Amino acid sequence: MSLAKRVFEFQQIEQAILSRRNQADEIDLRLNHNSAYEKAREELSVAEQGKEDLERQYKELDAEAEQLRNNIQRINDKLYGGKIKNPKELMSFEQEATMLKSNLVPKDDLLLAMMERLESRKAEVQRLQESCKTIEAAWQKEKLDLKVQKDKVMGELAGLEKKRQEIAADIDRSALSTYEGIKGRKSQAVVKVEQGRCMGCRVTLSVSELQRVRGMAIVTCSNCGRILYLS
Ligand SMILES: [Zn+2]
């Protein structure tokens, strides 16, 4: 086997390793992130916060209304308890009761409206909770498939890494360092020669270049600098 062919095979192994590593990274990304789930969680969190705020406001207003009701009750007890006989005093209590009742009406109206809003918020939270559960269940199922895929890719990667070491040990050091040097600059360090042309830069090789490529040594393209491989 020519040295160029061995380096070409080495390159193929390295490219396969890179591709598997990218696959593994993509799988990891899908195992750890799910934008639909993250979006649904975010929406749920906003809706829950809104519901809690409304519940707190409702409780505060309800406590105020309750206080008014108690005061009205207290005054009614005095008015109808029969102990107070003085008409002036009775009138004063009646006025106070009327004022308190008129304060209570808008609060009760608001409480009713808030209760309706709260019910719709609760329904929204429930809907989003179910949506989160559905998305999460689908994601968990997908994760099982992804883990199987990841195991397969990692197994392939281990085999390729082993093969890479074996081929590297079988390649002349200077040829390997020539390859590494080109690899740093160009994505494809070894290219095929087809119909007398370098497949890296498409330039036609000279007769003497072609002759040297047919030999056993490593030959680089005089135009693009890539290692030439004649299959
Ligand atoms: Zn070239």
Side-chain angles (χ1 to χ4, degrees):
M1 193 195 288
S2 78
L3 189 51
K5 186 177 183 184
R6 225 170 279 163
V7 180
F8 183 75
E9 282 185 2
F10 186 69
Q11 174 177 266
Q12 283 182 313
I13 295 287
E14 285 209 317
Q15 284 171 347
I17 287 171
L18 199 63
S19 144
R20 295 303 186 288
R21 281 190 189 144
N22 288 340
Q23 277 179 20
D25 286 349
E26 274 170 32
I27 292 169
D28 280 343
L29 199 66
R30 286 166 66 196
L31 278 169
N32 297 319
H33 296 284
N34 184 315
S35 55
Y37 180 67
E38 281 156 22
K39 189 168 170 275
R41 290 290 312 174
E42 178 61 28
E43 279 176 0
L44 175 61
S45 161
V46 169
E48 279 174 337
Q49 188 59 55
K51 191 195 85 167
E52 281 167 25
D53 288 347
L54 199 57
E55 273 172 342
R56 200 186 51 250
Q57 287 168 22
Y58 182 88
K59 270 186 193 166
E60 284 167 7
L61 191 63
D62 194 38
E64 286 172 25
E66 187 60 22
Q67 183 69 44
L68 276 175
R69 277 185 215 103
N70 289 341
N71 288 346
I72 292 165
Q73 185 61 51
R74 196 166 40 79
I75 292 166
N76 281 344
D77 289 347
K78 283 181 184 167
L79 277 172
Y80 307 113
K83 283 183 182 170
I84 300 165
K85 307 285 185 195
N86 184 332
K88 264 191 175 178
E89 212 179 334
L90 282 170
M91 192 184 277
S92 153
F93 277 125
E94 253 169 31
Q95 277 170 349
E96 198 187 344
T98 306
M99 190 200 73
L100 291 177
K101 277 177 198 164
S102 70
N103 283 347
L104 184 59
V105 171
K107 286 193 198 299
D108 276 339
D109 288 347
L110 195 53
L111 278 172
L112 201 64
M114 278 172 97
M115 180 56 90
E116 277 175 21
R117 274 168 64 204
L118 199 52
E119 287 309 316
S120 91
R121 288 274 170 97
K122 279 180 185 171
E124 177 70 356
V125 165
Q126 199 179 2
R127 186 187 69 76
L128 290 169
Q129 276 171 341
E130 277 159 20
S131 170
C132 273
K133 270 189 205 163
T134 306
I135 296 170
E136 194 181 12
W139 187 22
Q140 291 300 340
K141 199 164 164 276
E142 191 194 354
K143 277 185 185 180
L144 294 177
D145 291 341
L146 288 170
K147 278 173 188 160
V148 171
Q149 282 179 41
K150 174 92 187 277
D151 285 347
K152 184 172 169 276
V153 169
M154 293 314 279
E156 286 170 356
L157 199 51
L160 287 165
E161 297 275 13
K162 192 166 168 278
K163 205 167 173 186
R164 182 187 178 278
Q165 282 185 352
E166 284 168 7
I167 298 178
D170 203 27
I171 298 177
D172 172 78
R173 283 248 163 250
S174 74
L176 207 55
S177 80
T178 303
Y179 164 82
E180 295 292 349
I182 303 166
K183 200 178 80 175
R185 290 177 277 119
K186 302 194 188 286
S187 60
Q188 188 101 352
V190 193
V191 290
K192 282 188 178 180
V193 174
E194 279 174 19
Q195 293 170 331
R197 292 201 303 174
C198 164
M199 286 291 108
C201 65
R202 306 269 160 179
V203 159
T204 304
L205 304 176
S206 69
V207 177
S208 68
E209 261 184 318
L210 270 175
Q211 268 177 350
R212 285 195 292 122
V213 171
R214 287 197 183 92
M216 294 303 284
I218 287 288
V219 178
T220 55
C221 172
S222 58
N223 184 53
C224 70
R226 292 182 176 93
I227 295 171
L228 297 168
Y229 160 55
L230 191 66
S231 57

